[in-house]
Amino acid sequence: MSDIRLFKLKEHPEVLELIEGFSTEAGQPYNKHYYKGFWESLEEDGVGQFFGSFDADDKLIGVLAAMLVDDCFNGDTIANEHFWYVDPEHRRGSHGIKLFKKFIAWSEEVGAKRISMVHLASLNAEKLGKLYERMDFVPLEIHYIKKVVA
């Protein structure tokens, strides 16, 4: 059984270790000190929110990070999933889906006009796409990345 709740970085700094796990799976470089400052500025601006899944011992085992952003085309508020990660040892349970549903409920509570979800192309892409579509999300775009070497 897990407890899903909102939290701030200063309350659970161990989230930075989960973010490192996500970054490793995503194949993205990770600078913990940079990320800490980046996220603290989002929290200070009132637009960054962590959702945590905690086990019976109050250990953080999953996280969904979200940001409220303004749509550059019309000013609507979009609740944007920044990343969603559950520790691999806990992925067989309902931790991930509970985080997702909490994020959706929060997005509605804060008055977001739309919710934006993404997924890694390399990690259960088809399964996650089907989940999103079952939850009334529609595909909008495909995101490509190119590494630039200076």
Side-chain angles (χ1 to χ4, degrees), residues 37-55:
F38 166 77
W39 195 262
E40 287 171 339
S41 70
L42 292 177
E43 289 182 342
E44 286 172 18
D45 292 343
V47 297
Q49 183 61 64
F50 282 129
F51 302 81
S53 180
F54 296 85
D55 69 10

Side-chain angles (χ1 to χ4, degrees), residues 7-45:
F7 69 93
K8 299 293 182 194
L9 177 60
K10 67 182 177 185
E11 297 168 331
H12 290 282
E14 68 273 20
V15 70
L16 296 171
E17 305 309 318
L18 284 178
I19 297 168
E20 184 171 16
F22 169 81
S23 185
T24 299
E25 284 190 23
Q28 294 293 323
Y30 176 62
N31 179 318
K32 185 188 313 187
H33 301 290
Y34 174 81
Y35 191 88
K36 182 178 183 288
F38 166 77
W39 195 262
E40 287 171 339
S41 70
L42 292 177
E43 289 182 342
E44 286 172 18
D45 292 343

